Amino acid sequence: MKKAFLLLLALVLVISFIACRGNDKEKNSNNLTNSSANNEGLIVVGFSQVGAESDWRLANTKSMRETFNKENGYRLILKDAQQKLENQISAIRGFIEQKVDYIVFAPVTEEGWDDVLKEAKAAGIPVIIVDRMINTKDDSLYTCWVGSDFRKEGETAVAWMETTFKDKASLKIVHLQGSLGSSAQIGRTEGLLAGVERNSGWEVVYRASGNFTQVKGKEVMEHVLKQHNRIDVLYCENDNMAFGAMEAMEVAKKTYGVNGDIKIISFDATHAGLDATLKGKINYNVECNPLHGPRVEAIIQQLERGEKLDKLAYVEEEAFDAATITQAVIDARAY
Ligand code: GYE
């Protein structure tokens, strides 16, 4: 009797041990398939956006939202970092915790990414950088990048200045910079600095950041106009800051644009920016294309198929002169 009882006990133990292991296995496999199981087979994309500072940014967010939706087979988790590095880092940590399938982010600044990207790499989540770039010695920390050549944008603007002002012995320039430390600011600033270096008559009489916003652009320009009487050129690193600067110039009764004293160079060439160019308020506008949604999607599809892709992909861009732009160009624009 005692023997039979012991045998039964052993049997119960063995059965419950097997049952436990089975459960564990189930748990593990649930973990592995977590994102697709909870997301009806959709590809989960965590996108950390810089903020909503400009028309360019709004067009960029729209492009991402329109691309990464349920109909196209995606679930998008979009986090707005309000132009703060720490917010972006915690958004990316959140994506890692949620085990998203892809991490996409537009880095607010170039510095500061290695630690969090190491965490993403350890979790085995592919990272796609979009728009601006990061500065890292370890390029295994991201899968690939797609965006603009900001230095080239600056050089395009400077080439136009060199032709337009070739007969001017001296040029007094106000330089309104974008968010300091961002690739867009760094590249566009480098372009101008190289131009100033080459042209002995060029002088930057004032340089400050307007953080890519209209409000800050206005504020900085108000300040500049109180200090400087003669300004020949406003080199403004995006359209929204240019709009703000125009408001300040109007209040100060300064003339600008094609028929005015202060010539304006701007970047982005958004719809509103090109409207202002057609009206002769902006003299020259260098395009920066924000429609990255379909580009990032093409990358994800290639990765899904296990294809190899280019580490860096630059977007083709143009520039528009107030003297030659037409309404048809603006009408054909999707942003
Ligand atoms: O020029 C500016 C925006 O990174 C290209 O960021 C982007 C820049 C763009 O806020 O308007």
Side-chain angles (χ1 to χ4, degrees):
M1 188 64 193
K2 204 175 170 193
K3 227 177 174 185
F5 174 74
L6 280 176
L7 247 169
L8 193 72
L9 193 72
L11 202 70
V12 168
L13 279 175
V14 168
I15 289 172
S16 56
F17 177 71
I18 291 171
C20 265
R21 291 215 15 166
N23 237 338
D24 272 359
K25 240 192 187 164
E26 210 171 88
K27 250 194 235 153
N28 282 341
S29 70
N30 264 347
N31 258 344
L32 286 175
T33 54
N34 177 34
S35 48
S36 38
N38 295 340
N39 293 292
E40 306 145 14
L42 300 173
I43 297 174
V44 183
V45 175
F47 174 44
S48 167
Q49 176 61 294
V50 169
E53 72 283 3
S54 66
D55 291 356
W56 188 101
R57 189 64 56 196
L58 298 180
N60 178 244
T61 301
K62 186 164 173 261
S63 169
M64 298 295 275
R65 278 194 199 282
E66 282 173 0
T67 308
F68 295 105
N69 55 31
K70 212 169 169 184
E71 293 74 63
N72 292 342
Y74 296 94
R75 183 160 93 81
L76 178 67
I77 309 171
L78 194 145
K79 295 273 175 204
D80 177 334
Q82 307 193 330
Q83 288 191 286
K84 290 203 180 76
L85 174 67
E86 60 271 26
N87 290 348
Q88 276 203 299
I89 291 177
S90 58
I92 293 174
R93 291 216 164 102
F95 298 153
I96 298 171
E97 247 165 59
Q98 292 172 77
K99 297 187 170 66
V100 299
D101 297 308
Y102 293 91
I103 292 172
V104 180
F105 77 110
V108 61
T109 50
E110 291 199 345
E111 305 297 331
W113 297 102
D114 279 27
D115 289 347
V116 72
L117 293 187
K118 275 182 196 149
E119 293 166 31
K121 188 179 170 184
I125 304 175
V127 169
I128 300 164
I129 306 177
V130 66
D131 162 27
R132 304 170 179 179
M133 196 22 164
I134 62 165
N135 187 12
T136 179
K137 287 199 181 72
D138 180 1
D139 70 2
S140 77
L141 293 180
Y142 62 94
T143 308
C144 58
W145 167 87
V146 61
S148 304
D149 186 339
F150 300 112
R151 167 79 197 231
K152 192 172 158 204
E153 290 177 358
E155 284 167 359
T156 304
V158 165
W160 181 85
M161 287 168 68
E162 284 179 332
T163 320
T164 309
F165 305 117
K166 65 176 183 309
D167 298 328
K168 267 187 150 298
S170 73
L171 207 62
K172 302 226 180 274
I173 304 165
V174 167
H175 180 189
L176 244 169
Q177 296 177 290
S179 309
L180 297 179
S182 69
S183 306
Q185 175 272 311
I186 293 171
R188 292 167 188 168
T189 294
E190 278 175 3
L192 178 62
L193 292 182
V196 171
E197 184 89 12
R198 266 200 311 272
N199 294 276
S200 54
W202 292 14
E203 184 198 351
V204 175
V205 294
Y206 194 88
R207 169 175 293 131
S209 170
N211 217 15
F212 283 131
T213 69
Q214 187 153 339
V215 172
K216 202 84 215 301
K218 181 178 178 201
E219 199 182 298
V220 174
M221 199 62 190
E222 276 167 358
H223 180 75
V224 179
L225 292 171
K226 281 185 196 133
Q227 296 190 355
H228 296 274
N229 226 344
R230 178 183 153 197
I231 299 165
D232 301 312
V233 174
L234 169 64
Y235 182 99
C236 187
E237 291 181 4
N238 86 343
D239 285 340
N240 291 85
M241 293 190 296
F243 301 147
M246 286 175 199
E247 288 175 40
M249 289 185 276
E250 269 154 36
V251 172
K253 307 244 176 310
K254 295 281 179 189
T255 60
Y256 60 87
V258 173
N259 299 315
D261 292 332
I262 305 174
K263 306 299 175 199
I264 303 182
I265 287 141
S266 182
F267 295 83
D268 282 357
T270 54
H271 213 97
L274 288 189
D275 258 342
T277 312
L278 184 70
K279 290 193 179 109
K281 294 179 171 190
I282 291 175
N283 294 70
Y284 194 64
N285 207 330
V286 182
E287 179 187 34
C288 184
N289 190 308
L291 306 180
H292 291 314
R295 297 185 186 111
V296 175
E297 206 224 340
I299 291 172
I300 290 180
Q301 286 305 320
Q302 273 175 284
L303 292 171
E304 287 287 306
R305 293 193 295 269
E307 290 170 15
K308 255 198 91 56
L309 32 79
D310 293 336
K311 191 91 186 170
L312 306 177
Y314 290 94
V315 175
E316 282 294 318
E317 287 163 344
E318 328 170 41
F320 304 93
D321 191 324
T324 50
I325 190 171
T326 60
Q327 184 64 47
V329 170
I330 303 175
D331 293 344
R333 206 127 263 248
Y335 57 93

